[in-house]
Amino acid sequence: MIILAIETSCDETSAALVQNGVHEICSVTSSSAKLHEKTGGVVPEVAARKQLEFIVPVLQELLEKSRLTKDDIDAIAVTIGPGLIGSLIVGVEAAKSLSLSWEKPLIPVNHLVGHIYGNFVDNTNLEKITFPALVLIVSGGHTDLVLMKEHCQLQYIGGTLDDACGEAYDKTARLLGISDYLGGAKLSELARKITKSKYYGTLPRPKIHDKDYDFSFSGLKTAVRRLVEKNEIPQQDIAFDFEKSVVEVLTKKTFNAAQEYNVKCILLGGGVSANLSLREAFDKQSTDEGLQVFYPPLRLCGDNAIYIASAAFFNQNFAKLSEVEADPSLGIV
Ligand code: KG4
Ligand code: ZN
């Protein structure tokens, strides 16, 4: 089964052709991220206009590169949310138009579920991942712990009460003067230049000892602001302790949940799952506890239509065109 997927939830316009959920045939992604760097954040209206500009050329390029025709394609999949409404609408309407004119079924996909399937776009992983699995989604908009009982069977068990993990990274990068837009990776690079710091433990580890599986990162960001204002601790040491705090909290809560729900596999997804310190901590803890951890390949941690196609294949909930709508507030319930 070949699925053509479209992902336009934020500032990436991405389209992909994937066979049987695991074999990537071809993909094309255009991004308006450079424009948002100038304004220090995504301006939704600008992102939506860029989606409109990119969507047709991206789809044209995809079809030309793949040399497939509409007759080779079995279904159309599209991200319906969460995300920016103006951006989502562009992808959803493009997908509906293709579905209608090519007479192909349409599969709506939750963006967060898509992130999980970054782990499945590879036959090797597919054979190794066992259910139930615990999923940690860490992106710019979400920090969610989800129990995956099977494909299509997800149970939300906890999430952020305020800032998402990626958002905390980005806001802290801005406070430290590292970057005004999507500074998470740069903050981590700076943090990783040192391996220890005499200021280790200065920042709080929010909710680390709480028994629930919720997270709170906004207080951490405020604590960083206070340190920056005092101007007593070097920037690199603040970055180091910030990353330690986030990684320690994510690791503790995820492995506690893995134990409580008796899972053998942990899957990570979302932009922050590219973080090397997080991967190292999860690798170490999983070795200690005899669990298996899976990460999406680095190029599939950020937003991409490849895993939207994969999620659509493993969750074939075909919908009527009239039922498919962009929904920015969608989560996992
Ligand atoms: O999943 P994603 O591409 O977009 C959303 O769906 O939100 O995630 C983007 C987030 C941004 O906050 C970005 O700074 C963060 O992921 N990010 C990182 C790293 N790479 C991306 N945060 C920490 N360390 C990284 N290496
Ligand atoms: Zn995302």
Side-chain angles (χ1 to χ4, degrees), residues 7 9-12 82-83 111-112 115 137-142 164-171 173 181-189 192 242-243 246 269-278 298 300-304 307:
E7 151 65 44
S9 63
C10 187
D11 56 357
E12 256 96 36
H111 179 76
L112 299 170
H115 270 305
I137 302 165
V138 270
S139 71
H142 289 261
C165 175
E167 188 183 354
Y169 259 99
D170 296 341
K171 287 178 175 170
Y181 182 59
L182 297 186
K186 282 190 191 147
L187 190 161
S188 180
E189 257 174 53
R192 289 174 61 81
F242 170 83
E243 177 147 280
V246 173
V272 186
S273 67
N275 185 282
L276 293 178
S277 305
L278 185 66
L298 285 178
L300 294 187
C301 289
D303 295 345
N304 199 297
Y307 52 67

Side-chain angles (χ1 to χ4, degrees), residues 145-165:
L145 269 174
V146 177
L147 184 66
M148 189 173 189
K149 296 174 186 167
E150 260 303 333
H151 293 292
C152 306
Q153 277 189 47
L154 302 178
Q155 181 190 336
Y156 175 89
I157 60 168
T160 186
L161 302 174
D162 39 56
D163 288 356
C165 175

